[in-house]
Each structure stands twice: as C-alpha cells, then as structure tokens.
Amino acid sequence: MPRIAEARPGAEPSSPRQRARRQSILKVAADAAAVAGLERVQMQEVAKSAGVALGTLYRYFPSKTHLFTALMAEQIEEFAARVPERAAGTSPEDAVFETLRSATRNLLRRPALATAMIHSANTARASTVPDLARIDSGFLDLLLRAWEVEQPTEHHIARLRLLILLWYGVLQARLNERLSPQKAEGDLHTACHLLLAPGPDAG
C-alpha cells in the first residue's frame, strides 16, 4: 500500500552535505520519471539509487507530489539562469513568447518527466507544498525580465498570470498530442500579443 504523506512541508537542508543529498534525490527522481513515468516511480527505489535512507527521503519530500513539485521549481530556476538577454529589435511580447517557446521545448525533451512535474504541481496544495510558490515566483520573475518590466503593477502581474495559466494548458495539449508543435507555438504567440501588447489600459 502506498504511503500516505503527512500534510506538512518538507524539511529544508541546512548544510552543504544535506543540500548535496537533496540534489542527488532530485536527479535520481528526474531520471526515473523520464523513463518510467510518475506512477511507476517508487520512493523506496529513489532513496536506494540516491544512497539515502527512506526516512531521509521522506523528511525532505513527504510525498511524490512534494518531490516532483520541488523538481519543477529547480528546473525553472536552472532554465531562468540560462535564458539570454532580449535581442535588439525584439518586441517585449515577442521576447516573452521566445522565453515560453524555449521553456516548452526544454520540458518536452523528456515528456514523461514533464507530465510528472505538471501533474504534481497541479495537485499540490500551496499550504503544504512551499515549492509551489517557488514555481510561481520563479516563472513570473523570468517573464518579467523578458518583458523588461522593472516595476510591475498589479495589472502587469495579472496579465502574466493569465498567460502562464494559458501556457500550462498549451503545454498539456502538446503532451497529450492534441496540438501540433506549430499550432501550439502559434497559439502561444497569439496569446502573448493579445495579453501583453501595449494599449491604452496598459501599465
């Protein structure tokens, strides 16, 4: 019978050794999900492959939902660190589109892992899975940088929030093969221009 996770956040590592252990767990889980998918990932096997006790794994990640939500937060932060500055002559909305297109292609390199992370993030509760906030803030900061908005208003945030929700839907449709790559990118491009283009009520 699967373990029923406690409704609590995972412990945060407080030393370099603990951080390395946590990173090892995340890497093993990512590789396992990329091959087998979320349902077939076994926490006991993740702990064994990462070289940690099962209790240690559950201390950091009380459930698979915690584990793969944390992994998505890590991947967004790593992706953000690699995104180049906006090319000269690129409109703000096109810069955001390019960022979303790149993020989509990056995730789709390992579709089973992308499915595991998105499913976990969608079923997690913010009160017990703090890494949801890392996902939201990390992605928002990434798109604000692409949009070159240094002092965002609530209206900027709301437009990007709607765009991010739409992006999740387009990504899911790609994973389900309901949209071709061309249609998915076309929809994203349209959404960026509709939501982000400057207008009389922009700001």
Side-chain angles (χ1 to χ4, degrees):
M1 173 176 273
R3 175 186 174 120
I4 299 174
E6 297 177 57
R8 63 170 179 85
E12 288 294 325
S14 58
S15 69
R17 182 179 178 184
Q18 289 177 351
R19 285 190 287 273
R21 189 179 297 158
R22 187 178 187 274
Q23 289 303 118
S24 177
I25 292 169
L26 289 171
K27 183 181 185 308
V28 167
D31 291 342
V35 173
L38 180 63
E39 293 301 319
R40 294 186 180 181
V41 172
Q42 300 296 318
M43 296 291 267
Q44 187 168 354
E45 289 302 315
V46 171
K48 181 179 178 181
S49 297
V52 302
L54 185 59
T56 299
L57 171 58
Y58 278 118
R59 185 165 71 249
Y60 293 132
F61 307 106
S63 70
K64 283 200 286 186
T65 298
H66 288 77
L67 177 57
F68 285 96
T69 301
L71 189 56
M72 186 167 185
E74 292 277 330
Q75 293 215 350
I76 287 173
E77 289 170 1
E78 290 173 6
F79 173 76
R82 300 193 305 267
V83 173
E85 294 300 318
R86 189 167 96 191
T90 304
S91 70
E93 54 270 26
D94 278 339
V96 173
F97 165 68
E98 291 295 339
T99 300
L100 289 174
R101 178 166 66 173
S102 181
T104 302
R105 291 177 175 180
N106 185 64
L107 284 168
L108 290 177
R109 290 192 184 103
R110 298 203 282 180
L113 174 58
T115 298
M117 293 189 296
I118 292 168
H119 175 78
S120 297
N122 284 342
T123 56
R125 286 186 174 272
S127 58
T128 55
V129 186
D131 284 310
L132 274 177
R134 284 178 63 203
I135 291 172
D136 293 343
S137 63
F139 212 35
L140 187 63
D141 289 346
L142 172 65
L143 296 185
L144 282 170
R145 193 176 80 200
W147 203 12
E148 292 192 350
V149 175
E150 295 181 359
Q151 296 182 320
T153 65
E154 188 54 42
H155 190 50
H156 287 115
I157 301 300
R159 287 194 283 170
L160 282 182
R161 186 165 55 239
L162 287 171
L163 181 61
I164 290 168
L165 291 171
L166 185 145
W167 174 75
Y168 275 120
V170 170
L171 180 59
Q172 187 63 64
R174 284 283 290 113
L175 288 165
N176 293 346
E177 299 181 348
R178 294 168 64 191
L179 283 178
S180 67
Q182 295 77 16
K183 287 184 178 179
E185 290 187 2
D187 287 352
L188 275 179
H189 190 260
T190 298
C192 287
H193 279 262
L194 287 174
L195 286 168
L196 306 183
D201 62 339

